Amino acid sequence: MPIEVLMPALSPTMEAGKLAKWLKKEGDAVKSGDVIAEIETDKATMEVESVDEGTLGKILIEEGAEDVRVNTPIALILGEGEDAGALSDGAAQAGAKQQKTDAEPPADEPTSGGEAAAKSAVEGAAKDEAGGKQSPQEAKATGSAAAAPPQPEALPEPDVPEGTEMVSLTVREALRDAMAEEMRADERVFLMGEEVAEYQGAYKVSQGLLDEFGPERVIDTPITEHGFAGVGVGAALAGLKPIVEFMTFNFAMQAMDQIINSAAKTNYMSGGQMSCSIVFRGPNGAAARVAAQHSQDYSAWYSSVPGLIVVAPYTAADFKGLLKAAIRDENPVVFLENEILYGQSSPVPKLDDYVVPIGKAKIARPGKDVTIVAWSIGMTYALKAAEELAKEGIEAEVIDLRTLRPMDTDTIIASVKKTGRCVTVEEGWAQSGVGAEIAARIMERAFDWLDAPVTRVSGKDVPMPYAANLEKLALPSVAEVVEAAKAVCYRS
Amino acid sequence: MAATAAKKQPPKRESASEAAKSTSSAQPEAHGAADAAVTFSKEEELHAHREMLLIRRFEEKAGQLYGMGLIGGFCHLYIGQEAVVIGMQMALTPGDQVITGYRDHGHMLACEMDPKGVMAELTGRRSGYSKGKGGSMHMFSVEKHFYGGHGIVGAQVSLGTGLAFANKYRKNGKVTLAYFGDGATNQGQVYESFNMAKLWKLPIVYVIENNKYGMGTSVERASSTTNLSHRGASFDIPGEQVDGMDVRAVKAAGERAVRHAREGNGPYILEMITYRYRGHSMSDPAKYRSKEEVQKMRETHDPIEQIRKRLIEEGHASEDDLKAVDKEVRDIVNAAAEFASSDPEPDPSELWTDVLR
Ligand SMILES: Cc1ncc(C[n+]2csc(CCOP(=O)(O)OP(=O)(O)O)c2C)c(N)n1
Ligand SMILES: [Mg+2]
């Protein structure tokens, strides 16, 4: 029976791609390992290798075909002794088997491919089929928090003039633009990190920067985080303005000493003589299915350290405006991004110099019944929960914290004095988390206004598991936020 | 590449005692070339061929399952590097320990871990080696002396040094192999470990798998000196460059290094010159190297092709014999894939177990 070659996925979240090119013709002999075709998504080109040996019997999908769904049979390979006659029934069987393949993952506990929505998973390039590919409807159907970004009904930033044109940018583009603009404006600014230059960024955030600024200002480092973070801090002490990219913040743990002991403390230890203007940036938090050592939220870690500024935006506009502010700041800034957000688009004001002030939270959605405080990817859960709650007549006010240190406590307190209830949302662990800090501040400053205890929705108190079903359980969910909000409103 | 090592040294055969002597010299020597002359018995050839083929077919299948969405996250394939783990494993004594990074499927199969358990971990199912909680990068088997499976580049070097410390402490005569990549050789903890290992004469062999790239960065772009076998020089740790595509050369060098460590002389470094055919992980478009470069390695240096040719030329096996081996191996791999796609996901209650004992 001919063996069908299926359209492969480049990442668990890729759903379709273009069959760019056939490298073998019908009738050609193929061995396992032979590259038989090339497929493309908007982010990457990949080769399809044959796993089987035989003769390429029939090409089922012509070269150039767009939007070929993953797992569609694209060709048939004839095994030894099979001739083309086997093809006719082969094709039918391929179809039948295809269905079986689709049904393989248990339907009620889908793997991250369909479900964990905007989570893209694979290190290297091409990380974001996710955000881009899933339609909002699908996202809603699966109830996943991480899908296409709910667009906050945000009031425009106060300093954006009336009538400013908005352009839709991905978070990835917003970050790149912010760095490019600041590098054009200030020669002291340079970017260093693993794969930032020639590879254009492991997550393609620094795309084009090497071309524009050259290898003296866009610098590939060896895999040596503790070393290059220290080099960055030293350069900052000497008056340069480094942007140090960590491929992910999981690897910044190697560099923790230089970030905390050197960057955060030198200004104080030198009695204000020696400032350290540096940005440490990169993806933070869980990606999809990359397990315990690659899925951790460091919000609480850095936000507990005096001498650091910690920023964790959600919208593309805030990523851009806050990164520009971070680069200009005279202090060390830990700038927490999120891999799942990279591919998501939202409107960014088209201004020559759009800077968002550090230290200011934003009301992303006004409401009067309960305050939900979140930041970064946590906002996806918060905003979706607010939509759900609205259907049940609960008007949630969603605060996008944006900066974790210094924390805009005033905005939180003003909201809680109005709603009397608060739910915090974070992917990190609850113990000593940012939510715990928020709860403490509310208790200190608005105890008498509280109608219910502040409730935390957080990542579960375990390292991140790999299995799709367990990973889903380990992360916060929209349902948990809805439930918590109802509970503090005594509506469960 | 492999040829460089051969050019450096006149092909002379080095006895183990001579190799041991070079230990004490501050300038580590490369012996790789000497091993071109090493031959395998028929049994060794057949064994190495089958074991390498098992890894190759297993990895091809893993790539396929990834493409079908059954494996998620990071999945780093070992295709092209098979001779390194198989040759090294042939140089070990039962009970010796192995630790590596995230490109670990081949190491686990070489340690005789069950392909079904490995594949089921890749698909995140309950019968996987880590009950589905670890995935591709994090598997362990105390029974098979395999200590993982680590995701942080360089971490396994210190951990492996600690395993060796425990072996010396217990005086149990075991040797530890710590595998790491060319990219990992630039991590600071590698050198901190080298120093302690030599200072305390720990029984460890550091196996550097130089596959020319750390993600998209070639060794030349990441390292101020590119002969990685010399990286122990300032600690007086002997090192060799080895043709890591020739399983015989790997085994011969492995035996020298393991003996050195076991006899109480401290650490030894083997730089395996090898190549990964696939991208760094599944979605790496590998724009940083040419198709021709990859094709050339496959055509002229493939570790499995080399041994296949020899088996046929020397009359140790017929084409049909080799086909039968391929079929046997494919059956094992298919059974593993079948198992790994039908085994259930972990029970939800597993979320909370194993955090502490
Ligand atoms: C501390 C740390 N930094 C960065 C990474 C991301 N990363 C994973 S593999 C890799 C490349 C390693 O290359 P090499 O050591 O040559 O091993 P290979 O992948 O070639 O086997 C990088 C940068 C990581 N896992 N850990
Ligand atoms: Mg490498």
Side-chain angles (χ1 to χ4, degrees):
Chain A
M1 195 184 88
I3 306 155
E4 76 273 27
V5 180
L6 303 181
M7 180 73 173
L10 303 188
S11 78
T13 43
M14 170 179 158
E15 294 177 352
K18 174 177 175 182
L19 206 163
K21 197 165 161 193
W22 278 106
L23 301 170
K24 298 269 178 188
K25 307 185 298 300
E26 287 182 4
D28 282 358
V30 290
K31 304 198 296 308
S32 49
D34 281 356
V35 178
I36 56 172
E38 281 179 7
I39 58 171
E40 258 174 44
T41 67
D42 49 345
K43 287 294 172 304
T45 305
M46 288 286 296
E47 295 171 341
V48 181
E49 285 186 9
S50 178
V51 180
D52 300 288
E53 304 210 355
T55 309
L56 187 59
K58 190 167 178 55
I59 287 176
L60 301 173
I61 304 280
E62 284 311 312
E63 118 176 354
E66 307 260 1
D67 211 30
V68 182
R69 312 298 291 174
V70 164
N71 280 343
T72 310
I74 56 173
L76 295 173
I77 290 185
L78 296 167
E80 207 179 341
E82 280 179 335
D83 60 27
L87 285 173
S88 42
D89 43 311
Q93 273 160 356
K97 181 151 173 228
Q98 176 51 26
Q99 270 179 338
K100 182 168 153 268
T101 312
D102 280 345
E104 241 156 12
D108 52 334
E109 285 166 345
T111 55
S112 72
E115 187 280 331
K119 304 195 140 197
S120 103
V122 187
E123 204 160 11
K127 305 283 314 190
D128 52 22
E129 274 71 33
K133 295 262 162 73
Q134 197 177 36
S135 73
Q137 292 90 313
E138 280 171 307
K140 211 168 276 168
T142 57
S144 160
Q151 273 329 303
E153 306 159 22
L155 324 161
E157 286 288 291
D159 46 355
V160 175
E162 196 73 35
T164 300
E165 188 192 339
M166 302 297 274
V167 285
S168 177
L169 291 183
T170 61
V171 166
R172 171 182 286 116
E173 291 162 338
L175 289 166
R176 193 260 326 272
D177 290 356
M179 289 192 282
E181 286 175 23
E182 292 307 297
M183 288 176 77
R184 277 173 214 134
D186 187 343
E187 280 220 328
R188 295 172 300 170
V189 181
F190 68 94
L191 172 67
M192 70 193 286
E194 292 161 22
E195 308 289 355
V196 298
E198 294 198 8
Y199 201 84
Q200 312 288 320
Y203 297 90
K204 297 279 179 275
V205 171
S206 49
Q207 191 118 39
L209 294 184
L210 174 65
D211 277 354
E212 180 173 354
F213 300 102
E216 280 175 14
R217 296 181 71 194
V218 182
I219 302 158
D220 278 326
T221 64
I223 309 168
T224 172
E225 288 84 4
H226 192 197
F228 70 71
V231 168
V233 173
L237 295 177
L240 296 183
K241 291 173 79 64
I243 304 170
V244 172
E245 175 176 309
F246 291 113
M247 192 176 282
T248 78
F249 263 95
N250 302 289
F251 314 140
M253 276 205 282
Q254 303 277 320
M256 205 48 120
D257 179 70
Q258 295 291 16
I259 300 172
I260 313 270
N261 261 333
S262 304
K265 298 177 184 172
T266 299
N267 195 56
Y268 191 80
M269 296 187 301
S270 67
Q273 257 189 81
M274 206 175 264
S275 70
C276 183
S277 175
I278 187 169
V279 176
F280 300 105
R281 50 155 290 272
N284 169 61
R289 308 291 307 280
V290 294
Q293 293 187 331
H294 285 75
S295 314
Q296 194 168 324
D297 177 6
Y298 294 90
S299 301
W301 289 47
Y302 293 108
S303 79
S304 82
V305 181
L308 290 181
I309 285 170
V310 185
V311 181
Y314 169 60
T315 64
D318 284 345
F319 270 107
K320 179 169 186 196
L322 279 162
L323 183 54
K324 282 167 68 78
I327 294 168
R328 287 180 198 185
D329 202 282
E330 286 197 79
N331 298 293
V333 180
V334 173
F335 193 90
L336 302 173
E337 300 161 11
N338 186 285
E339 187 198 323
I340 291 154
L341 296 179
Y342 279 150
Q344 303 198 352
S345 303
S346 53
V348 178
K350 197 175 174 194
L351 292 172
D352 288 342
D353 194 21
Y354 180 66
V355 181
V356 174
I358 286 172
K360 277 212 174 117
K362 171 171 81 177
I363 309 283
R365 176 182 176 123
K368 60 175 178 40
D369 298 325
V370 54
T371 302
I372 302 178
V373 185
W375 58 95
S376 185
I377 185 119
M379 285 296 293
T380 54
Y381 307 104
L383 289 169
K384 284 204 167 171
E387 273 172 36
E388 300 282 313
L389 290 163
K391 288 183 208 147
E392 304 191 35
I394 297 175
E395 286 177 36
E397 176 147 297
V398 180
I399 296 180
D400 180 354
L401 211 45
R402 304 195 290 188
T403 302
L404 304 179
R405 172 182 272 273
M407 193 183 284
D408 183 359
T409 317
D410 290 348
T411 298
I412 300 171
I413 297 298
S415 175
V416 170
K417 284 185 176 172
K418 184 168 71 176
T419 63
R421 304 148 206 278
C422 182
V423 172
T424 66
V425 185
E426 71 191 298
E427 278 198 348
W429 296 303
Q431 178 162 350
S432 312
V434 178
E437 176 64 24
I438 294 169
R441 290 184 188 211
I442 294 173
M443 193 181 66
E444 286 160 3
R445 290 185 46 192
F447 186 73
D448 291 339
W449 281 264
L450 282 176
D451 294 324
V454 177
T455 299
R456 292 169 292 167
V457 174
S458 69
K460 306 306 174 294
D461 197 23
V462 299
M464 186 65 74
Y466 166 73
N469 65 328
L470 298 186
E471 183 187 59
K472 193 174 153 208
L473 292 172
L475 289 165
S477 66
V478 176
E480 285 169 348
V481 180
V482 169
E483 196 187 329
K486 281 161 96 176
V488 296
C489 294
Y490 304 110
R491 291 268 306 263
S492 324
Chain B
M1 288 292 317
T4 336
K7 257 183 248 143
K8 282 223 167 89
Q9 290 269 311
K12 66 170 170 143
R13 190 135 188 197
E14 183 97 31
S15 78
S17 61
E18 276 168 323
K21 254 184 265 153
S22 75
T23 317
S24 46
S25 87
Q27 185 55 50
E29 295 275 313
H31 302 285
D35 297 324
V38 174
T39 53
F40 266 11
S41 69
K42 177 181 170 184
E43 286 66 38
E44 286 173 321
E45 292 276 47
L46 287 169
H47 169 81
H49 171 257
R50 183 199 176 271
E51 298 304 297
M52 293 198 289
L53 198 62
L54 176 64
I55 297 176
R56 175 78 50 101
R57 297 288 176 252
F58 183 94
E59 293 291 67
E60 286 167 352
K61 184 56 87 177
Q64 200 183 32
L65 295 188
Y66 194 96
M68 291 162 66
L70 285 165
I71 298 174
F74 298 146
C75 184
H76 309 86
L77 301 182
Y78 196 63
I79 298 177
Q81 302 180 213
E82 297 92 344
V84 177
V85 281
I86 294 305
M88 285 308 297
Q89 204 66 25
M90 289 172 80
L92 293 184
T93 302
D96 289 343
Q97 300 159 325
V98 171
I99 188 167
T100 186
Y102 44 82
R103 196 178 300 286
D104 55 356
H105 312 163
H107 303 68
M108 296 187 281
L109 296 176
C111 288
E112 295 180 359
M113 286 168 65
D114 178 4
K116 284 186 179 161
V118 178
M119 199 67 100
E121 190 60 40
L122 295 183
T123 54
R125 305 304 171 90
R126 62 176 59 174
S127 308
Y129 267 98
S130 301
K131 304 181 196 163
K133 296 182 190 185
S136 162
M137 300 185 286
H138 311 298
M139 275 179 251
F140 309 82
S141 170
V142 175
E143 184 203 346
K144 303 289 185 190
H145 314 285
F146 180 74
Y147 284 80
H150 298 272
I152 299 301
V153 169
Q156 75 272 29
V157 181
S158 304
L159 298 173
T161 306
L163 295 173
F165 180 92
N167 289 334
K168 175 150 196 223
Y169 191 91
R170 296 201 171 103
K171 303 188 176 60
N172 61 14
K174 289 183 186 176
V175 171
T176 305
L177 299 187
Y179 289 90
F180 52 107
D182 46 281
T185 61
N186 294 315
Q187 281 289 34
Q189 62 181 321
V190 170
Y191 299 93
E192 300 178 21
S193 301
F194 281 2
N195 183 46
M196 288 183 280
K198 182 68 189 194
L199 187 66
W200 299 329
K201 296 243 177 339
L202 303 181
I204 182 162
V205 178
Y206 296 110
V207 187
I208 301 171
E209 298 199 59
N210 181 354
N211 58 12
K212 292 198 71 178
Y213 297 90
M215 217 171 253
T217 306
S218 66
V219 176
E220 291 71 26
R221 293 206 305 114
S223 298
S224 55
T225 59
T226 54
N227 184 330
L228 305 178
S229 73
H230 289 174
R231 289 296 178 97
S234 59
F235 309 97
D236 197 17
I237 301 174
E240 300 184 26
Q241 271 185 335
V242 182
D243 178 354
M245 304 302 266
D246 181 351
V247 67
R248 300 167 303 174
V250 172
K251 174 173 178 271
E255 281 172 345
R256 269 196 300 279
V258 168
R259 188 177 315 118
H260 175 92
R262 207 184 310 278
E263 285 172 356
N265 304 308
Y268 204 100
I269 294 174
L270 294 177
E271 178 192 1
M272 300 292 171
I273 310 292
T274 181
Y275 201 76
R276 80 168 143 69
Y277 294 176
R278 296 292 191 99
H280 168 73
S281 63
M282 290 305 295
S283 76
D284 170 14
K287 292 265 158 67
Y288 45 83
R289 61 185 189 187
S290 68
K291 284 204 169 93
E292 291 67 44
E293 177 183 312
V294 182
Q295 208 44 42
K296 198 168 151 223
M297 283 310 293
R298 295 183 112 143
E299 275 163 16
T300 58
H301 289 277
D302 188 76
I304 299 176
E305 258 329 292
Q306 289 185 38
I307 208 165
R308 253 185 78 86
K309 260 215 205 108
R310 284 201 305 271
L311 280 168
I312 301 267
E313 277 167 12
E314 282 160 34
H316 290 331
S318 66
E319 287 283 359
D320 279 348
D321 294 340
L322 296 181
K323 260 193 195 137
V325 176
D326 195 46
K327 168 141 188 355
E328 184 237 339
V329 161
R330 275 183 198 274
D331 287 347
I332 292 173
V333 166
N334 287 336
E338 190 64 36
F339 177 76
S341 21
S342 55
D343 190 43
E345 289 187 303
D347 190 86
S349 65
E350 283 290 344
L351 180 64
W352 303 103
T353 61
D354 304 321
V355 179
L356 292 174
R357 288 243 195 192

